[in-house]
């Protein structure tokens, strides 16, 4: 992402009771792209609030971000506690006409989008343009299943939540409040993983064959001089 995260990089990451220094150093790395570049983020294993705060800042800085597998995003606290908070949220409505809002989204992608919207000045042209650069999906639809996917170390649960603390999945919360597609998304994800594994094995075999071919190839003396002159030797 942009230079806003570069300024917050610490030269010596703090120590922690549960995590070694080299693991904590991952969470202090700079951002992984520049504003204006399209990035696909795999939300699995990320904490909801921490990920959304990073994404909100980056889309305001000009980045184009696509979030996939939002149903596997995590929230600190037990599922029971999350249900209590969502039930309290559901009670908030327009008394005279509930159709005027606020609207209580059930799908994980919509919940994530609304969370990020709350961190963005969405009623201004700048905020509206930032939200136009954001897309959220359950699962991993085409063509994002064939693109490189990123993670954000500063928002990973394994780096930000102590091991004994409780957590829950956003997909389970959505399913409890009326989201009807958890089983469908799970089935599509299992099919995608089978195809992805076959593709990876084929790619690994091709890479290994290419490396072996490069080792066995012989270059003539004249060609070697040309390569050295061009800086490839």
């Amino acid at each position: 992402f942009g230079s806003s995260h570069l300024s917050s990089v610490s030269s010596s990451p703090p120590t922690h009771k549960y995590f070694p220094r080299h693991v904590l150093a991952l969470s202090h790395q700079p951002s992984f792209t520049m504003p204006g570049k399209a990035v696909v983020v795999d939300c699995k294993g990320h904490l909801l609030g921490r990920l959304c705060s990073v994404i909100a800042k980056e889309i305001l800085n000009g980045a184009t971000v696509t979030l996939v597998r939002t149903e596997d995003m995590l929230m600190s606290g037990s599922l029971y506690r999350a249900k209590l908070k969502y039930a309290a949220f559901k009670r908030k409505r327009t008394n005279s006409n509930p159709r005027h809002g606020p609207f209580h989204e059930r799908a994980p992608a919509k919940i994530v989008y609304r969370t990020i919207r709350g961190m963005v000045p969405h009623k201004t042209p700048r905020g509206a343009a930032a939200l136009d650069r954001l897309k959220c999906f359950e699962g991993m639809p085409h063509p994002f299943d064939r693109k490189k996917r990123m993670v954000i170390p500063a928002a990973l649960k394994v780096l930000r939540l102590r091991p004994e603390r409780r957590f829950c999945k956003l997909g389970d919360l959505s399913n409890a409040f009326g989201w009807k597609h958890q089983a469908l998304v799970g089935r599509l994800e299992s099919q995608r993983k089978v195809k992805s594994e076959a593709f990876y094995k084929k790619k690994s075999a091709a890479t290994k064959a290419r490396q072996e071919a490069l080792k066995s190839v012989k270059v003539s003396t004249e060609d070697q001089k040309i390569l050295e002159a061009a800086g490839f030797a």
Side-chain angles (χ1 to χ4, degrees), residues 203-215:
K203 180 182 176 183
S204 299
T207 303
K208 186 177 180 181
R210 185 176 183 277
Q211 290 175 348
E212 291 176 355
L214 287 173
K215 288 180 182 178

Side-chain angles (χ1 to χ4, degrees), residues 157-218:
K157 194 270 291 184
V158 293
L159 296 178
R160 282 293 171 235
L161 200 64
R162 284 170 56 164
E164 76 275 11
R165 297 300 185 189
R166 296 183 181 183
F167 62 92
C168 63
K169 284 174 61 175
L170 182 58
D172 294 337
L173 177 66
S174 296
N175 187 60
F177 280 94
W179 183 50
K180 300 178 181 179
H181 304 296
Q182 189 176 36
L184 172 63
V185 171
R187 188 169 70 251
L188 293 173
E189 274 294 285
S190 61
Q191 295 172 1
R192 181 194 63 80
K193 289 175 183 177
V194 171
K195 294 180 182 178
S196 179
E197 184 179 6
F199 168 78
Y200 179 74
K201 288 181 179 178
K202 183 179 178 181
K203 180 182 176 183
S204 299
T207 303
K208 186 177 180 181
R210 185 176 183 277
Q211 290 175 348
E212 291 176 355
L214 287 173
K215 288 180 182 178
S216 61
V217 72
K218 293 182 179 179

Side-chain angles (χ1 to χ4, degrees), residues 84-197:
L84 290 178
K85 289 194 289 186
Y86 195 88
F89 168 62
K90 273 184 66 179
R91 286 194 295 270
K92 294 177 172 61
R93 63 175 195 164
T94 302
N95 197 24
S96 58
N97 190 349
R99 287 183 296 178
H100 289 174
F103 304 106
H104 313 102
E105 305 291 354
R106 266 67 166 187
K110 294 289 186 70
I111 292 176
V112 173
Y113 181 88
R114 194 180 195 278
T115 305
I116 296 174
R117 191 190 72 176
M119 303 176 182
V120 171
H122 64 97
K123 294 186 179 182
T124 65
R126 175 172 172 257
L131 285 178
D132 286 341
R133 292 189 289 270
L134 173 69
K135 293 181 181 178
C136 304
F137 296 101
E138 293 96 10
M140 204 172 292
H142 182 80
F144 305 109
D145 57 340
R146 299 187 179 184
K147 293 189 177 182
K148 184 175 182 179
R149 298 176 292 277
M150 303 288 188
V151 299
I152 299 178
L156 286 173
K157 194 270 291 184
V158 293
L159 296 178
R160 282 293 171 235
L161 200 64
R162 284 170 56 164
E164 76 275 11
R165 297 300 185 189
R166 296 183 181 183
F167 62 92
C168 63
K169 284 174 61 175
L170 182 58
D172 294 337
L173 177 66
S174 296
N175 187 60
F177 280 94
W179 183 50
K180 300 178 181 179
H181 304 296
Q182 189 176 36
L184 172 63
V185 171
R187 188 169 70 251
L188 293 173
E189 274 294 285
S190 61
Q191 295 172 1
R192 181 194 63 80
K193 289 175 183 177
V194 171
K195 294 180 182 178
S196 179
E197 184 179 6

